[in-house]
Structures are given as C-alpha cells and as structure tokens.
Amino acid sequence: MTIEIRSTDLDCLKKHTKACWPEEACALLVGRHKGNQHWIVNFVEPARNIAKNPSQFFEIDPALRIRLEMKNLFERDEIIGVFHSHPEGKATLSETDKNNIREPNLFWLIASTLSGKVDELCAFAIADDHNINQLTLLSTCDVNGD
C-alpha cells in the first residue's frame, strides 16, 4: 500500500500549497495504478480551487480533470490521485473528505500546513471492504513507471 512520487513533484505541491495559502490548495496526480493499492505518480497538475469557501473546502475544476483524461486517453497514464491541503489543520481525512473519498482507484494525498508551509503529508485510499487505509508515501529521486 504505497505511493511512489518524485521529490520534484512533492516540491511542486509544496510551492502550490504556499501560493494558495490561506486557502486550500488542490491538484490532480497522474501516473499508474499498479494494483493492490500501489501507485506511481508520473506528474502532478496543480489546480485552481473553485469551492465557494476555499479556505475550508476544495473543489477541483471538472474541466481540468476532463482535459487530463482526454490527454491521457491513449497513454498508459491516468489520474490516480487527488491532493489538497488543510490550512492550519492536520494531514488527516476530515469528515467531508471521508464522505467524498469514493473512487477505489484514486488515493488522496493531504498536506497539513502551518503559515502556508507544508508540515506533514499523509495519503489515504478506500479499500475493497470500504475501509480507509493510510498509505506509505515513498519520495524518490526518479520514478521509472515501468
């Protein structure tokens, strides 16, 4: 139950989070689902938070998701994860997150932030038995994806 992600992609998410603070940052993560709750992230796509109250919630523009799905239609990559931050909060699933985490092939990566700086990152996915599992995040220098 792991996620492999390049350190440069984590840096991108951290910069995006800082730029969005004090609102929630969000992004889509693209790569490959290897099965048995193992994902390899090949790139991240920072998104604009279109929620009505972006300091407490996040909503990714559906047009971005559609564009990424169309771009990867004939590729091996697909949207595999959702990222968002909890400004001045914890890197855990909120009750709203728990109600929205429904797609079994997507993981959720959550950042806790303190004054706009990422303090902690935790990842979660829904299992076949509908329980939520915390995943291990592996930061790598380079991910091959094969």
Side-chain angles (χ1 to χ4, degrees):
M1 297 189 303
T2 59
I3 299 164
E4 296 179 33
I5 185 168
R6 291 179 189 98
S7 57
T8 53
D9 287 329
L10 289 173
D11 290 343
C12 176
L13 292 173
K14 289 174 182 178
K15 287 177 187 172
H16 180 59
T17 299
K18 185 171 184 146
C20 293
W21 190 84
E23 297 178 347
E24 289 195 19
C26 53
L28 293 172
L29 297 101
V30 177
R32 297 194 9 225
H33 180 234
K34 301 294 276 186
N36 197 25
Q37 295 200 330
H38 183 116
W39 293 265
I40 297 175
V41 177
N42 290 330
F43 71 92
V44 300
E45 188 70 37
R48 189 171 60 93
N49 184 349
I50 64 168
K52 290 186 182 185
N53 186 354
S55 62
Q56 293 185 339
F57 302 101
F58 82 98
E59 183 178 347
I60 295 173
D61 186 348
L64 174 62
R65 185 168 180 171
I66 291 168
R67 274 195 309 276
L68 286 174
E69 287 175 350
M70 294 301 293
K71 177 183 173 186
N72 293 304
L73 194 58
F74 300 105
E75 304 292 327
R76 295 172 64 188
D77 286 343
E78 60 186 328
I79 296 169
I80 58 170
V82 174
F83 165 82
H84 74 283
S85 64
H86 287 169
E88 308 306 311
K90 297 183 179 185
T92 60
L93 291 168
S94 67
E95 286 305 312
T96 301
D97 294 337
K98 289 176 187 175
N99 290 331
N100 289 321
I101 187 169
R102 296 189 178 139
E103 296 174 82
N105 287 333
L106 291 183
F107 66 85
W108 283 41
L109 181 59
I110 301 173
S112 65
T113 62
L114 299 173
S115 300
K117 184 178 178 187
V118 172
D119 181 53
E120 182 181 22
L121 286 163
C122 292
F124 305 89
I126 192 163
D128 291 337
D129 61 5
H130 303 289
N131 286 319
I132 296 172
N133 294 329
Q134 186 164 353
L135 308 171
T136 301
L137 192 63
L138 300 174
S139 174
T140 61
C141 292
D142 188 29
V143 177
N144 172 319
D146 289 329

